[in-house]
Amino acid sequence: MVFEALSRLGSKADRILMYPEEWDTNIANITDRDSQLLQKARNHYGAKLLPVKVKKFGRKPSETIEGENLTWDTSATKFLTFNQTQYLRIIHLDSDVTVQQHMDDLFLLPPARVAMMRAYWNLPSVKSLTSMFILLEPSAAEADRLMAAAESKTRQNNEFDMEILNDLYGDSAMILPHRNYGLVSGEFRSEDHHRYLGNNYEKWNPKRALREASLVHFSDWPIPKPWIMWPRNLLKEKMPLCDINPGTKDETGCENKDIWLELYNDFRRRRADICALLSVPAPEWPPRRNFNSSAPANG
């Protein structure tokens, strides 16, 4: 879906698709969706296919919630992007995004090993980087350094890709502005937008913010990623509210709610149209804890 968007939006850069080395492009039968989609990415959208060994962080049994989708456990795989030294620069994009404008202009920025945005939702108290997208200069030495940092013996249980990138590049990365480049879907659930706007005088305009963003990253924990259906009780609890008379037949001022719902519905429609894939059934909510676990529930 990312490659379809980049193709449609006119991006001129090469496109690389990293995929698990256990997959292949030989379509065994009509239900072999992995192979069909690899061929479609290559043949329709010009993607260069790159099989890789998926890097998993993993967790201890005491940290695991029964039935939980361990969203970040394979996120270290993106570090392999640094090994693509045939390129001078690469923009790494995750799959949990909607691309609205290509970002080829970023390739023209001054040299920097890594360029990333701030996690604006944590400002000003925490000045951390976000791995929503990464503009990077490939380097085998940097790839080795990142993969070493991802090893279980050198990382803490709560450290994943974003924490490692902050540890290594928090003081040296080129900082990209988040406005006009990256917007999180959770912004439409927020009541305070001054961190995104960067000031206290500008009025939040959800339509304008969406229109300006090159990329929207789906981040609404504990709402599942957009390829997973919502548990109805969780949706009722976490969905954005209208400004006036929320939850009644007279509710109005629902721009944030309407945009948020449409972001998810649009992703699911495109996933069905482009990939011929239906949404994953909704998980149980609230999730059941492992009865041997003493760890606190995620929230």
Side-chain angles (χ1 to χ4, degrees):
M1 292 167 60
V2 169
F3 294 125
E4 182 277 332
L6 292 173
S7 176
R8 171 168 42 83
L9 295 168
S11 172
K12 303 301 183 183
D14 283 358
R15 297 156 203 156
I16 305 173
L17 174 59
M18 295 193 298
Y19 66 94
E21 61 185 3
E22 296 82 12
W23 298 2
D24 60 52
T25 57
N26 299 316
I27 301 175
N29 51 59
I30 60 173
T31 64
D32 186 359
R33 295 302 295 140
D34 293 337
S35 298
Q36 292 172 16
L37 290 173
L38 287 175
Q39 284 201 16
K40 186 169 187 177
R42 181 187 63 198
N43 300 338
H44 288 239
Y45 307 122
K48 299 184 178 183
L49 304 183
L50 178 65
V52 299
K53 183 177 179 63
V54 174
K55 172 65 178 177
K56 292 185 179 182
F57 286 119
R59 300 185 191 177
K60 298 176 182 178
S62 62
E63 298 178 290
T64 302
I65 301 174
E66 183 178 346
E68 181 186 14
N69 177 30
L70 305 182
T71 306
W72 302 282
D73 281 357
T74 60
S75 59
T77 305
K78 70 178 59 172
F79 297 160
L80 297 174
T81 308
F82 281 81
N83 270 329
Q84 305 310 305
T85 54
Q86 68 272 32
Y87 294 100
L88 296 176
R89 285 190 128 160
I90 292 177
I91 298 175
H92 178 276
L93 300 174
D94 284 335
S95 59
D96 55 346
V97 299
T98 287
V99 179
Q100 301 194 128
Q101 303 171 40
H102 73 70
M103 294 179 283
D104 288 6
D105 56 299
L106 292 176
F107 292 119
L108 303 178
L109 289 175
R113 177 66 70 197
V114 166
M116 300 170 68
M117 301 186 311
R118 293 283 188 206
Y120 69 82
W121 50 93
N122 291 329
L123 294 173
S125 57
V126 179
K127 291 182 171 61
S128 59
L129 304 171
T130 173
S131 56
M132 186 185 306
F133 70 87
I134 309 168
L135 174 66
L136 61 94
E137 295 177 350
S139 161
E142 289 297 307
D144 290 343
R145 187 161 77 116
L146 285 158
M147 297 309 286
E151 292 297 328
S152 59
K153 62 184 178 182
T154 59
R155 56 175 284 273
Q156 300 298 316
N157 290 327
N158 61 345
E159 287 186 334
F160 294 95
D161 61 312
M162 193 157 68
E163 289 75 23
I164 291 172
L165 288 164
N166 272 278
D167 287 344
L168 298 185
Y169 304 114
D171 295 328
S172 62
M174 177 189 291
I175 304 301
L176 301 174
H178 61 269
R179 289 190 67 170
N180 295 345
Y181 280 116
L183 174 68
V184 293
S185 57
E187 191 65 33
F188 298 99
R189 294 171 53 224
S190 176
E191 296 181 358
D192 182 359
H193 303 284
H194 83 274
R195 293 179 180 85
Y196 174 78
L197 295 173
N199 59 68
N200 290 312
Y201 60 82
E202 193 172 351
K203 184 178 180 181
W204 168 248
N205 184 325
K207 290 183 178 179
R208 178 182 176 184
L210 180 64
R211 183 173 62 251
E212 290 177 347
S214 297
L215 178 148
V216 178
H217 177 238
F218 289 92
S219 181
D220 285 288
W221 180 260
I223 296 286
K225 292 298 183 179
W227 52 85
I228 304 172
M229 291 303 296
W230 297 308
R232 294 183 65 86
N233 51 345
L234 177 61
L235 178 62
K236 184 177 180 180
E237 177 186 343
K238 299 296 183 180
M239 182 171 58
L241 298 176
C242 296
D243 296 334
I244 302 172
N245 298 320
T248 72
K249 62 182 179 62
D250 298 318
E251 65 180 10
T252 57
C254 301
E255 283 187 339
N256 287 295
K257 176 183 176 181
D258 293 344
I259 289 173
W260 187 82
L261 289 171
E262 179 56 22
L263 282 170
Y264 279 85
N265 290 332
D266 169 70
F267 187 100
R268 290 166 181 154
R269 283 194 301 269
R270 288 185 294 109
R271 188 170 185 265
D273 292 343
I274 297 168
C275 305
L277 291 172
L278 299 178
S279 297
V280 177
E284 181 181 7
W285 187 264
R288 290 177 293 171
R289 293 294 302 177
N290 186 321
F291 66 86
N292 289 322
S293 173
S294 59
N298 290 324

